[in-house]
Amino acid sequence: MRPKLIPLACTMLLVACAAAPPEPVDPPAQRSPEDVKLTLNLPEEPENCACQTLEENDRTFLERGMETLADGEYIEAVQYFQRYQRLEQLPLAQWEGDLAIAYVSMLPSSPFYDVDAALLAYTDLQSREPAGQKHHSIVIMQQALESFVLMERHIWDLENRTGMLQEDLDKREQALKRLRELTLGQPED
């Protein structure tokens, strides 16, 4: 019979506890915020610290633009770069967006392909390059644009040299023709 008494005793104890009036509790003492001291386990900063708070860009749209660019979706990539510029107002973000758009304009398969615009944009971007930690993809794009500009300058130089050499060749052919006429006494056919 003892096993039946244990649940009965527990039930009676719970009923007795529930029926007992609650003991009065003193209201908590009102403390002002100055009285409360919060101790954090942080390293102490030197008093003469000239610390700067670094503003970080949210590079989500920049990275999405890079992904769509890698997929060959040039228009959508440029839209992502423009959104990145609209959302992030820091000079570094503006510069990164402009550089990414200039990069797209140097790609022959892009609908924005314009060699002259890419050259002008890169020249402008060089003059206003901000300090700061640039996104790794932007650094690679910057290097590619730099190579592109250098290659275009070499092409321009070669075309100028070719033009000058062609003029010299034409002048020499004219001089040889004239020399034959004078030497042989008859015009050449």
Side-chain angles (χ1 to χ4, degrees):
M1 283 266 260
R2 281 198 159 151
K4 290 184 181 180
L5 289 179
I6 293 175
L8 182 62
C10 289
T11 306
M12 291 186 62
L13 183 62
L14 287 174
V15 170
C17 288
E23 293 183 24
V25 177
D26 293 331
Q30 295 294 328
R31 293 194 224 170
S32 68
E34 293 82 27
D35 294 340
V36 177
K37 183 173 180 177
L38 183 61
T39 305
L40 300 175
N41 190 15
L42 297 175
E44 292 189 29
E45 293 182 21
E47 291 180 23
N48 58 357
C49 177
C51 301
Q52 287 183 325
T53 57
L54 295 176
E55 295 184 37
E56 279 294 318
N57 292 328
D58 179 11
R59 291 188 162 135
T60 306
F61 283 121
L62 181 66
E63 290 169 352
R64 285 183 186 171
M66 298 295 179
E67 290 170 7
T68 56
L69 183 61
D71 292 338
E73 300 293 328
Y74 303 107
I75 295 171
E76 190 175 343
V78 168
Q79 290 171 346
Y80 276 125
F81 298 143
Q82 291 170 338
R83 286 181 197 149
Y84 174 64
Q85 287 179 306
R86 280 193 303 270
L87 290 177
E88 300 297 327
Q89 298 301 316
L90 295 174
L92 180 62
Q94 299 301 311
W95 186 86
E96 286 176 329
D98 287 341
L99 191 120
I101 293 169
Y103 178 83
V104 173
S105 69
M106 75 161 217
L107 299 174
S109 57
S110 166
F112 302 109
Y113 179 67
D114 187 351
V115 174
D116 295 330
L119 294 172
L120 287 173
Y122 182 71
T123 304
D124 176 54
L125 289 166
Q126 276 185 312
S127 67
R128 61 183 178 96
E129 182 176 350
Q133 184 70 29
K134 296 169 186 69
H135 191 273
H136 59 276
S137 296
I138 292 296
V139 172
I140 292 171
M141 286 179 165
Q142 182 181 15
Q143 293 168 350
L145 273 168
E146 190 174 321
S147 297
F148 176 76
V149 167
L150 185 62
M151 181 187 69
E152 283 298 316
R153 285 183 187 148
H154 285 305
I155 290 171
W156 187 80
D157 287 343
L158 290 173
E159 287 173 348
N160 281 340
R161 286 182 189 167
T162 302
M164 290 175 18
L165 289 173
Q166 187 63 45
E167 287 177 17
D168 287 347
L169 182 62
D170 291 342
K171 288 179 184 177
R172 287 180 186 199
E173 286 178 358
Q174 289 296 326
L176 282 173
K177 183 178 178 184
R178 180 76 176 131
L179 186 60
R180 282 187 193 123
E181 288 175 0
L182 291 174
T183 310
L184 299 174
Q186 48 184 302
E188 188 177 295
D189 293 331

